[in-house]
Protein backbone atom coordinates (compact mmCIF):
# COMPACT_ATOMS: atom_id res chain seq x y z
CA UNK A 1 0.00 0.00 0.00
CA UNK A 2 1.20 3.49 -0.86
CA UNK A 3 0.47 6.59 1.16
CA UNK A 4 0.86 10.10 -0.23
CA UNK A 5 0.94 13.07 2.11
CA UNK A 6 0.89 16.61 0.77
CA UNK A 7 2.10 19.66 2.65
CA UNK A 8 3.04 23.26 2.02
CA UNK A 9 -0.32 24.79 1.20
CA UNK A 10 -1.52 28.03 2.69
CA UNK A 11 -2.63 31.58 2.10
CA UNK A 12 -0.51 33.82 -0.11
CA UNK A 13 -0.98 37.13 -1.88
CA UNK A 14 -1.14 37.32 -5.64
CA UNK A 15 2.33 37.33 -7.11
CA UNK A 16 3.70 35.27 -4.25
CA UNK A 17 5.14 31.77 -4.16
CA UNK A 18 4.53 28.47 -2.43
CA UNK A 19 6.21 25.09 -2.62
CA UNK A 20 4.09 22.01 -2.18
CA UNK A 21 5.58 18.69 -1.15
CA UNK A 22 4.21 15.18 -1.53
CA UNK A 23 5.91 12.47 0.48
CA UNK A 24 5.31 8.91 -0.60
CA UNK A 25 5.62 5.98 1.73
CA UNK A 26 4.87 2.31 1.65
CA UNK A 27 6.74 -0.89 1.35
CA UNK A 28 9.06 -0.82 -1.66
CA UNK A 29 7.51 2.31 -3.09
CA UNK A 30 8.08 2.56 -6.81
CA UNK A 31 6.26 4.82 -9.19
CA UNK A 32 6.21 5.27 -12.93
CA UNK A 33 5.13 8.88 -12.72
CA UNK A 34 3.80 11.40 -10.23
CA UNK A 35 1.31 14.14 -10.86
CA UNK A 36 -0.22 17.22 -9.32
CA UNK A 37 -3.88 18.05 -9.79
CA UNK A 38 -6.11 20.75 -8.37
CA UNK A 39 -9.79 21.25 -7.73
CA UNK A 40 -11.39 24.63 -7.21
CA UNK A 41 -14.79 24.95 -5.50
CA UNK A 42 -17.57 23.85 -7.79
CA UNK A 43 -15.19 22.68 -10.49
CA UNK A 44 -13.75 19.39 -11.65
CA UNK A 45 -10.31 18.20 -10.71
CA UNK A 46 -7.79 19.43 -13.28
CA UNK A 47 -4.33 18.31 -14.27
CA UNK A 48 -1.51 20.65 -13.25
CA UNK A 49 1.81 18.90 -13.84
CA UNK A 50 3.43 15.48 -13.99
CA UNK A 51 6.90 14.00 -13.88
CA UNK A 52 8.27 10.58 -14.72
CA UNK A 53 9.93 9.07 -11.71
CA UNK A 54 13.03 7.67 -13.38
CA UNK A 55 13.81 10.10 -16.19
CA UNK A 56 12.33 13.26 -14.76
CA UNK A 57 10.41 14.23 -17.90
CA UNK A 58 7.80 16.86 -17.18
CA UNK A 59 4.52 18.14 -18.58
CA UNK A 60 2.42 21.10 -17.53
CA UNK A 61 -1.03 22.47 -18.03
CA UNK A 62 -0.99 25.57 -20.21
CA UNK A 63 -2.38 27.64 -17.36
CA UNK A 64 0.73 27.07 -15.21
CA UNK A 65 3.53 26.87 -17.78
CA UNK A 66 6.36 29.20 -16.92
CA UNK A 67 5.10 29.70 -13.37
CA UNK A 68 5.06 26.23 -11.80
CA UNK A 69 7.87 23.69 -11.66
CA UNK A 70 7.50 20.04 -10.73
CA UNK A 71 10.50 18.10 -9.44
CA UNK A 72 11.27 14.97 -7.48
CA UNK A 73 13.80 13.68 -4.99
CA UNK A 74 14.10 9.95 -5.53
CA UNK A 75 16.08 9.40 -2.36
CA UNK A 76 13.33 11.01 -0.30
CA UNK A 77 10.41 9.58 -2.32
CA UNK A 78 9.12 13.12 -2.55
CA UNK A 79 7.71 15.20 -5.37
CA UNK A 80 7.52 18.98 -5.25
CA UNK A 81 5.53 21.69 -6.95
CA UNK A 82 7.15 25.10 -6.89
CA UNK A 83 4.50 27.70 -7.61
CA UNK A 84 5.57 31.24 -8.50
CA UNK A 85 3.66 34.30 -9.65
CA UNK A 86 0.52 32.92 -8.08
CA UNK A 87 -2.84 34.23 -9.21
CA UNK A 88 -6.24 34.20 -7.47
CA UNK A 89 -7.39 31.65 -10.06
CA UNK A 90 -4.78 29.24 -8.73
CA UNK A 91 -6.84 28.92 -5.56
CA UNK A 92 -7.78 25.26 -5.14
CA UNK A 93 -7.14 22.09 -3.22
CA UNK A 94 -3.99 20.55 -4.67
CA UNK A 95 -3.60 16.79 -4.83
CA UNK A 96 -0.63 14.65 -5.68
CA UNK A 97 -1.05 11.29 -7.32
CA UNK A 98 1.08 8.28 -8.16
CA UNK A 99 0.90 6.02 -11.18
CA UNK A 100 2.62 2.85 -9.99
CA UNK A 101 1.41 0.52 -12.73
CA UNK A 102 2.17 2.51 -15.91
CA UNK A 103 -1.37 1.92 -17.15
CA UNK A 104 -2.13 5.54 -17.96
CA UNK A 105 -4.02 6.31 -14.79
CA UNK A 106 -3.13 7.28 -11.25
CA UNK A 107 -3.83 4.62 -8.66
CA UNK A 108 -2.92 6.47 -5.46
CA UNK A 109 -3.98 9.93 -4.31
CA UNK A 110 -3.11 12.16 -1.41
CA UNK A 111 -5.62 13.89 0.81
CA UNK A 112 -5.00 17.32 -0.68
CA UNK A 113 -3.66 20.62 0.58
CA UNK A 114 -5.44 23.96 0.30
CA UNK A 115 -3.85 26.82 -1.60
CA UNK A 116 -5.54 30.19 -1.37
CA UNK A 117 -4.29 33.19 -3.34
CA UNK A 118 -5.69 36.56 -2.33
CA UNK A 119 -5.94 39.48 -4.71
Amino acid sequence: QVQLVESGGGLVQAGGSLRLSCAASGRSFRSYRMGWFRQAPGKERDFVARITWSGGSTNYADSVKGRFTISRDIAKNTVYLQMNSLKPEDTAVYYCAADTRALGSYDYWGQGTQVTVSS
Side-chain angles (χ1 to χ4, degrees), residues 36-99:
W36 284 99
F37 293 77
R38 66 187 182 186
Q39 187 168 21
K43 296 187 177 181
E44 295 184 350
R45 187 175 299 184
D46 291 330
F47 164 76
V48 175
R50 61 174 169 256
I51 186 167
T52 59
W53 195 247
S54 59
S57 297
T58 59
N59 294 94
Y60 298 91
D62 288 343
S63 59
V64 306
K65 279 182 182 177
R67 301 188 298 122
F68 290 11
T69 302
I70 188 171
S71 61
R72 85 273 189 255
D73 185 327
I74 295 176
K76 295 181 178 180
N77 283 349
T78 300
V79 64
Y80 304 97
L81 185 68
Q82 178 67 44
M83 306 186 295
N84 299 327
S85 301
L86 282 161
K87 305 175 182 180
E89 51 264 43
D90 294 318
T91 295
V93 177
Y94 283 71
Y95 299 89
C96 74
D99 171 8

Side-chain angles (χ1 to χ4, degrees), residues 94-106:
Y94 283 71
Y95 299 89
C96 74
D99 171 8
T100 65
R101 301 169 298 175
L103 296 178
S105 62
Y106 293 88

